[in-house]
Amino acid sequence: MNRTNISLILVSILIIGTIWKDGSEQVFPWSGAMLNDVIGLAGNKIVMVDFETEWWTWCDRLDVDTYSNPDVVEFALDHFIGIKIDAEKNDGPRLKEKYSIWGYPTMVFMDINGTEIDRIIGYLPPDLFLEELKRIH
C-alpha cells in the first residue's frame, strides 16, 4: 500500500470518527488532518475550511445550531470535506493571513488544487447555510 492510500484511509477514519458525537448525535464531519493533506485527498469533494476562534459566540452557535443539523450533515457528507482551523493557534495565524480572514466564523471553500472558489462570512442558521452549500456545490 502506498503513502497516498494510507493517508486517504487515515483521513477517512478521522472523518468517520467525528460524524457521531457521543455515539448518537450527528454532527458535521470535520477532519483532524492538516489542510494540505485534506486538499490533496479531497477527490471529487469541495474542501470547506472553517476559520474560528474559541472566544467568539457565533462560532459556537454555528457548531450547535448549524453543523449538527441533519440536512446540513447529510449534504456535507456527500459533497464536502470539512476542516476547522482555530485562527489563533498552531498554523491558524499563518493561514488566517494567507486567506485574508478578518472575521469569524469564515468558511473558505476550495477546489482540489487549494484554490478558493467561494466563502461564507459569519453565522448562518441551518436552512440558509444549506442553501449556500448547495449554491457553492
Side-chain angles (χ1 to χ4, degrees):
M1 194 176 290
N2 65 35
R3 182 181 164 124
T4 302
N5 288 342
I6 292 171
S7 296
L8 181 58
I9 291 168
L10 291 174
V11 169
S12 298
I13 290 169
L14 288 170
I15 290 170
I16 291 168
T18 59
I19 292 173
W20 284 276
K21 181 180 174 183
D22 299 326
S24 61
E25 182 183 343
Q26 212 174 15
V27 296
F28 195 89
W30 301 110
S31 172
M34 300 297 291
L35 179 58
N36 286 338
D37 293 334
V38 172
I39 290 169
L41 298 171
N44 64 346
K45 294 187 177 189
I46 295 171
V47 177
M48 184 180 112
V49 184
D50 179 0
F51 286 89
E52 64 174 6
T53 63
E54 288 183 354
W55 53 266
W56 190 235
T57 302
W58 293 107
C59 296
D60 294 336
R61 283 283 308 272
L62 198 62
D63 287 336
V64 171
D65 298 344
T66 304
Y67 293 144
S68 63
N69 178 276
D71 295 328
V72 170
V73 173
E74 182 180 345
F75 190 80
L77 283 170
D78 291 337
H79 305 290
F80 296 89
I81 291 180
I83 181 171
K84 282 183 168 280
I85 295 177
D86 186 320
E88 297 178 332
K89 294 183 180 176
N90 304 316
D91 270 355
R94 180 184 64 79
L95 293 170
K96 174 181 114 171
E97 185 174 323
K98 178 179 180 178
Y99 293 102
S100 300
I101 305 300
W102 302 107
Y104 310 105
T106 295
M107 286 64 63
V108 176
F109 297 86
M110 301 177 194
D111 64 17
I112 60 171
N113 299 311
T115 303
E116 181 176 339
I117 56 176
D118 212 331
R119 66 175 52 198
I120 298 172
I121 299 172
Y123 168 84
L124 289 176
D127 56 337
L128 297 178
F129 190 81
L130 183 57
E131 284 180 27
E132 285 296 292
L133 288 183
K134 289 178 179 179
R135 180 189 62 77
I136 291 166
H137 177 259

